Amino acid sequence: MVSLKLQKRLATEVLKCGKGKVWLDPNEVNEISMANSRQNIRKLVKDGFVIRKPENIHSRSRARLSAAAKAKGRHTGYGKRRGTREARLPTSLLWMRRMRVLRRMLRKYRDAKKIDKHMYHELYLKVKGNVYKNKRVLMESIHKEKAEKLREKAIAEQYDSRRTKNKASRLRKLERREERLAQGLNFEKK
């Protein structure tokens, strides 16, 4: 058996791969052993006596199956956990997500003129103070507050209209009394 060390080394450089990926045809050993330059090796590659082996296949089917099972919630019991609860899903991350969701909602409502800037600021501070745990609760509180404001406004309007009505009736009474007085004086004079 002839040593083909040199040929293999030259082939790695020509084929741009490692020694393990180079295949030298065992039936053409004499032909290959004659090649002592890169040019000759290129010719052998062209003839098919020296070949670069194909890449090994690394299947991901098992990885996909286990990932699908984990998505369903399998293999996530106490025995499979390495990190602490905080390390696996930090509370600060949950807090940030919640803040961003609620603040985005407040911004949207303000831009859509559903709430004014004063209400926005008030709710913003409440959100920061951990008053609302999710969007639904915040939305309900917004509706409640708006309804409350409308009610107060309606009551205030009623109160105002009543005041103006009473004022007008008082003025009318005074005018009538003055008229009567004036008539009474006129009557006496006659």
Side-chain angles (χ1 to χ4, degrees), residues 54-90:
E55 295 289 326
N56 289 331
I57 290 168
H58 186 176
S59 170
R60 276 199 55 78
S61 64
R62 282 183 301 280
R64 271 192 223 104
L65 274 173
S66 74
K70 270 194 182 152
K72 286 180 181 172
R74 318 285 186 261
H75 321 294
T76 53
Y78 291 129
K80 291 286 182 185
R81 298 180 196 172
R82 298 298 294 273
T84 60
R85 180 191 292 164
E86 188 67 19
R88 286 162 68 86
L89 185 59

Short mmCIF file of all heavy atoms in Angstrom, two decimals, residues 54-90:
data_model
loop_
_atom_site.label_atom_id
_atom_site.label_comp_id
_atom_site.label_asym_id
_atom_site.label_seq_id
_atom_site.Cartn_x
_atom_site.Cartn_y
_atom_site.Cartn_z
N PRO A 54 -19.85 14.16 0.95
CA PRO A 54 -20.98 15.07 1.27
C PRO A 54 -21.06 15.34 2.76
O PRO A 54 -20.52 14.60 3.57
CB PRO A 54 -22.20 14.29 0.80
CG PRO A 54 -21.78 12.86 0.83
CD PRO A 54 -20.31 12.84 0.52
N GLU A 55 -21.79 16.42 3.08
CA GLU A 55 -21.98 16.79 4.49
C GLU A 55 -22.81 15.72 5.19
O GLU A 55 -23.73 15.16 4.59
CB GLU A 55 -22.74 18.12 4.59
CG GLU A 55 -21.99 19.34 4.06
CD GLU A 55 -20.81 19.75 4.93
OE1 GLU A 55 -20.93 19.59 6.17
OE2 GLU A 55 -19.79 20.19 4.38
N ASN A 56 -22.49 15.48 6.45
CA ASN A 56 -23.31 14.54 7.22
C ASN A 56 -24.65 15.19 7.54
O ASN A 56 -24.71 16.37 7.82
CB ASN A 56 -22.60 14.17 8.53
CG ASN A 56 -21.39 13.30 8.28
OD1 ASN A 56 -21.37 12.55 7.30
ND2 ASN A 56 -20.39 13.38 9.13
N ILE A 57 -25.68 14.36 7.52
CA ILE A 57 -27.01 14.89 7.80
C ILE A 57 -27.25 14.85 9.31
O ILE A 57 -26.99 13.84 9.96
CB ILE A 57 -28.09 14.07 7.07
CG1 ILE A 57 -27.99 14.32 5.56
CG2 ILE A 57 -29.48 14.42 7.57
CD1 ILE A 57 -28.77 13.39 4.72
N HIS A 58 -27.70 15.99 9.85
CA HIS A 58 -28.00 16.07 11.27
C HIS A 58 -29.49 16.39 11.38
O HIS A 58 -29.89 17.54 11.26
CB HIS A 58 -27.14 17.16 11.92
CG HIS A 58 -27.29 17.20 13.41
ND1 HIS A 58 -26.56 18.04 14.18
CD2 HIS A 58 -28.07 16.50 14.26
CE1 HIS A 58 -26.89 17.87 15.45
NE2 HIS A 58 -27.81 16.94 15.51
N SER A 59 -30.27 15.36 11.61
CA SER A 59 -31.73 15.51 11.57
C SER A 59 -32.24 16.29 12.79
O SER A 59 -31.77 16.08 13.90
CB SER A 59 -32.38 14.13 11.54
OG SER A 59 -33.76 14.26 11.73
N ARG A 60 -33.22 17.16 12.54
CA ARG A 60 -33.84 17.92 13.63
C ARG A 60 -35.22 17.38 14.00
O ARG A 60 -35.96 17.99 14.77
CB ARG A 60 -33.98 19.39 13.24
CG ARG A 60 -32.73 20.20 13.47
CD ARG A 60 -33.01 21.68 13.51
NE ARG A 60 -34.02 22.08 14.47
CZ ARG A 60 -33.81 22.19 15.77
NH1 ARG A 60 -32.63 21.92 16.30
NH2 ARG A 60 -34.79 22.58 16.58
N SER A 61 -35.57 16.20 13.44
CA SER A 61 -36.93 15.70 13.65
C SER A 61 -37.20 15.44 15.13
O SER A 61 -38.27 15.77 15.64
CB SER A 61 -37.16 14.43 12.84
OG SER A 61 -36.30 13.41 13.29
N ARG A 62 -36.22 14.84 15.84
CA ARG A 62 -36.41 14.57 17.27
C ARG A 62 -36.52 15.88 18.06
O ARG A 62 -37.34 16.00 18.97
CB ARG A 62 -35.25 13.73 17.82
CG ARG A 62 -35.36 12.26 17.43
CD ARG A 62 -34.24 11.45 18.05
NE ARG A 62 -32.92 11.92 17.65
CZ ARG A 62 -32.32 11.63 16.50
NH1 ARG A 62 -32.95 10.86 15.62
NH2 ARG A 62 -31.13 12.09 16.21
N ALA A 63 -35.69 16.86 17.67
CA ALA A 63 -35.74 18.17 18.35
C ALA A 63 -37.10 18.82 18.15
O ALA A 63 -37.67 19.39 19.08
CB ALA A 63 -34.64 19.08 17.82
N ARG A 64 -37.63 18.70 16.93
CA ARG A 64 -38.94 19.29 16.63
C ARG A 64 -40.04 18.63 17.45
O ARG A 64 -40.92 19.30 17.98
CB ARG A 64 -39.26 19.15 15.14
CG ARG A 64 -38.75 20.31 14.32
CD ARG A 64 -39.29 20.32 12.90
NE ARG A 64 -38.21 20.65 11.99
CZ ARG A 64 -37.59 19.77 11.21
NH1 ARG A 64 -37.94 18.50 11.23
NH2 ARG A 64 -36.62 20.14 10.42
N LEU A 65 -39.96 17.31 17.53
CA LEU A 65 -40.97 16.56 18.30
C LEU A 65 -40.96 16.99 19.76
O LEU A 65 -42.01 17.25 20.35
CB LEU A 65 -40.69 15.06 18.22
CG LEU A 65 -41.29 14.32 17.01
CD1 LEU A 65 -40.80 12.89 16.98
CD2 LEU A 65 -42.81 14.34 17.06
N SER A 66 -39.76 17.09 20.34
CA SER A 66 -39.68 17.44 21.77
C SER A 66 -40.13 18.88 21.98
O SER A 66 -40.77 19.20 22.98
CB SER A 66 -38.27 17.23 22.32
OG SER A 66 -37.40 18.22 21.84
N ALA A 67 -39.81 19.77 21.02
CA ALA A 67 -40.25 21.17 21.13
C ALA A 67 -41.77 21.25 21.09
O ALA A 67 -42.38 22.01 21.85
CB ALA A 67 -39.64 22.00 20.01
N ALA A 68 -42.38 20.45 20.20
CA ALA A 68 -43.84 20.44 20.09
C ALA A 68 -44.46 19.95 21.40
O ALA A 68 -45.47 20.49 21.87
CB ALA A 68 -44.29 19.56 18.94
N ALA A 69 -43.86 18.91 21.99
CA ALA A 69 -44.37 18.37 23.26
C ALA A 69 -44.26 19.41 24.36
O ALA A 69 -45.17 19.59 25.17
CB ALA A 69 -43.60 17.11 23.64
N LYS A 70 -43.12 20.14 24.38
CA LYS A 70 -42.91 21.17 25.40
C LYS A 70 -43.91 22.30 25.23
O LYS A 70 -44.37 22.90 26.21
CB LYS A 70 -41.50 21.73 25.32
CG LYS A 70 -40.53 20.97 26.19
CD LYS A 70 -39.24 21.70 26.38
CE LYS A 70 -38.31 20.87 27.22
NZ LYS A 70 -36.91 21.15 26.93
N ALA A 71 -44.26 22.61 23.97
CA ALA A 71 -45.26 23.66 23.71
C ALA A 71 -46.60 23.25 24.31
O ALA A 71 -47.38 24.10 24.73
CB ALA A 71 -45.40 23.92 22.22
N LYS A 72 -46.86 21.92 24.33
CA LYS A 72 -48.10 21.43 24.94
C LYS A 72 -48.00 21.41 26.46
O LYS A 72 -48.99 21.19 27.13
CB LYS A 72 -48.40 20.01 24.46
CG LYS A 72 -48.92 19.94 23.03
CD LYS A 72 -49.18 18.50 22.68
CE LYS A 72 -49.69 18.36 21.25
NZ LYS A 72 -49.76 16.95 20.86
N GLY A 73 -46.78 21.59 26.98
CA GLY A 73 -46.61 21.62 28.44
C GLY A 73 -46.03 20.35 29.02
O GLY A 73 -45.99 20.18 30.24
N ARG A 74 -45.55 19.43 28.17
CA ARG A 74 -44.92 18.20 28.69
C ARG A 74 -43.48 18.51 29.10
O ARG A 74 -42.90 19.50 28.64
CB ARG A 74 -44.89 17.10 27.63
CG ARG A 74 -46.16 16.95 26.81
CD ARG A 74 -47.29 16.26 27.58
NE ARG A 74 -48.42 16.01 26.73
CZ ARG A 74 -49.50 16.78 26.66
NH1 ARG A 74 -49.59 17.86 27.40
NH2 ARG A 74 -50.50 16.49 25.86
N HIS A 75 -42.91 17.63 29.91
CA HIS A 75 -41.49 17.71 30.33
C HIS A 75 -41.13 19.04 30.98
O HIS A 75 -40.04 19.57 30.74
CB HIS A 75 -40.54 17.48 29.14
CG HIS A 75 -40.98 16.43 28.19
ND1 HIS A 75 -41.07 15.09 28.53
CD2 HIS A 75 -41.40 16.50 26.90
CE1 HIS A 75 -41.50 14.41 27.49
NE2 HIS A 75 -41.73 15.23 26.49
N THR A 76 -42.05 19.63 31.73
CA THR A 76 -41.71 20.90 32.39
C THR A 76 -42.03 20.85 33.89
O THR A 76 -42.33 21.86 34.50
CB THR A 76 -42.50 22.06 31.75
OG1 THR A 76 -43.88 21.73 31.75
CG2 THR A 76 -42.03 22.35 30.35
N GLY A 77 -42.01 19.62 34.44
CA GLY A 77 -42.28 19.47 35.87
C GLY A 77 -41.12 19.93 36.72
O GLY A 77 -40.10 20.41 36.21
N TYR A 78 -41.23 19.73 38.04
CA TYR A 78 -40.18 20.18 38.96
C TYR A 78 -38.83 19.54 38.61
O TYR A 78 -37.78 20.16 38.73
CB TYR A 78 -40.55 19.83 40.40
CG TYR A 78 -41.71 20.64 40.92
CD1 TYR A 78 -42.81 20.02 41.52
CD2 TYR A 78 -41.71 22.02 40.81
CE1 TYR A 78 -43.88 20.76 41.99
CE2 TYR A 78 -42.77 22.77 41.27
CZ TYR A 78 -43.86 22.14 41.86
OH TYR A 78 -44.90 22.89 42.31
N GLY A 79 -38.87 18.27 38.21
CA GLY A 79 -37.62 17.54 37.94
C GLY A 79 -36.85 18.06 36.75
O GLY A 79 -35.65 17.80 36.61
N LYS A 80 -37.53 18.77 35.85
CA LYS A 80 -36.86 19.26 34.63
C LYS A 80 -36.35 20.70 34.76
O LYS A 80 -35.75 21.23 33.84
CB LYS A 80 -37.83 19.21 33.44
CG LYS A 80 -38.19 17.82 32.99
CD LYS A 80 -37.06 17.18 32.25
CE LYS A 80 -37.45 15.79 31.76
NZ LYS A 80 -36.31 15.12 31.14
N ARG A 81 -36.65 21.33 35.89
CA ARG A 81 -36.31 22.75 36.02
C ARG A 81 -34.93 22.91 36.64
O ARG A 81 -34.64 22.28 37.66
CB ARG A 81 -37.35 23.46 36.90
CG ARG A 81 -38.73 23.41 36.28
CD ARG A 81 -39.76 24.10 37.13
NE ARG A 81 -41.10 23.70 36.73
CZ ARG A 81 -42.19 24.02 37.38
NH1 ARG A 81 -42.11 24.74 38.48
NH2 ARG A 81 -43.37 23.63 36.95
N ARG A 82 -34.11 23.78 36.04
CA ARG A 82 -32.77 24.03 36.58
C ARG A 82 -32.71 25.37 37.29
O ARG A 82 -32.15 25.49 38.36
CB ARG A 82 -31.71 23.99 35.46
CG ARG A 82 -31.61 22.67 34.74
CD ARG A 82 -31.18 21.55 35.66
NE ARG A 82 -29.84 21.71 36.17
CZ ARG A 82 -28.74 21.30 35.57
NH1 ARG A 82 -28.82 20.69 34.38
NH2 ARG A 82 -27.56 21.48 36.11
N GLY A 83 -33.32 26.39 36.69
CA GLY A 83 -33.28 27.74 37.29
C GLY A 83 -34.41 27.93 38.28
O GLY A 83 -35.38 27.18 38.30
N THR A 84 -34.29 29.00 39.11
CA THR A 84 -35.37 29.34 40.03
C THR A 84 -36.53 29.91 39.23
O THR A 84 -36.38 30.23 38.05
CB THR A 84 -34.92 30.41 41.04
OG1 THR A 84 -34.52 31.58 40.32
CG2 THR A 84 -33.77 29.92 41.89
N ARG A 85 -37.66 30.07 39.89
CA ARG A 85 -38.83 30.63 39.21
C ARG A 85 -38.49 32.02 38.66
O ARG A 85 -38.85 32.37 37.55
CB ARG A 85 -39.98 30.72 40.20
CG ARG A 85 -41.25 31.30 39.60
CD ARG A 85 -42.26 31.62 40.66
NE ARG A 85 -42.77 30.38 41.26
CZ ARG A 85 -43.44 30.35 42.40
NH1 ARG A 85 -43.66 31.44 43.08
NH2 ARG A 85 -43.89 29.20 42.89
N GLU A 86 -37.78 32.80 39.46
CA GLU A 86 -37.41 34.17 39.06
C GLU A 86 -36.48 34.16 37.85
O GLU A 86 -36.57 35.00 36.97
CB GLU A 86 -36.73 34.86 40.25
CG GLU A 86 -36.47 36.34 40.06
CD GLU A 86 -37.72 37.18 39.99
OE1 GLU A 86 -38.80 36.74 40.42
OE2 GLU A 86 -37.62 38.30 39.46
N ALA A 87 -35.59 33.17 37.82
CA ALA A 87 -34.63 33.09 36.70
C ALA A 87 -35.33 32.65 35.42
O ALA A 87 -34.98 33.10 34.33
CB ALA A 87 -33.52 32.11 37.04
N ARG A 88 -36.33 31.78 35.56
CA ARG A 88 -37.02 31.26 34.37
C ARG A 88 -37.94 32.30 33.75
O ARG A 88 -38.04 32.39 32.53
CB ARG A 88 -37.82 30.01 34.74
CG ARG A 88 -36.96 28.79 34.95
CD ARG A 88 -37.68 27.72 35.71
NE ARG A 88 -38.78 27.14 34.95
CZ ARG A 88 -38.66 26.13 34.09
NH1 ARG A 88 -37.48 25.59 33.90
NH2 ARG A 88 -39.70 25.66 33.44
N LEU A 89 -38.62 33.08 34.57
CA LEU A 89 -39.47 34.16 34.05
C LEU A 89 -39.48 35.29 35.09
O LEU A 89 -40.27 35.25 36.03
CB LEU A 89 -40.90 33.66 33.79
CG LEU A 89 -41.85 34.66 33.13
CD1 LEU A 89 -41.32 35.13 31.80
CD2 LEU A 89 -43.23 34.08 32.97
N PRO A 90 -38.59 36.26 34.93
CA PRO A 90 -38.44 37.31 35.96
C PRO A 90 -39.71 38.13 36.15
O PRO A 90 -40.42 38.42 35.19
CB PRO A 90 -37.32 38.20 35.41
CG PRO A 90 -36.66 37.42 34.35
CD PRO A 90 -37.67 36.45 33.82
#
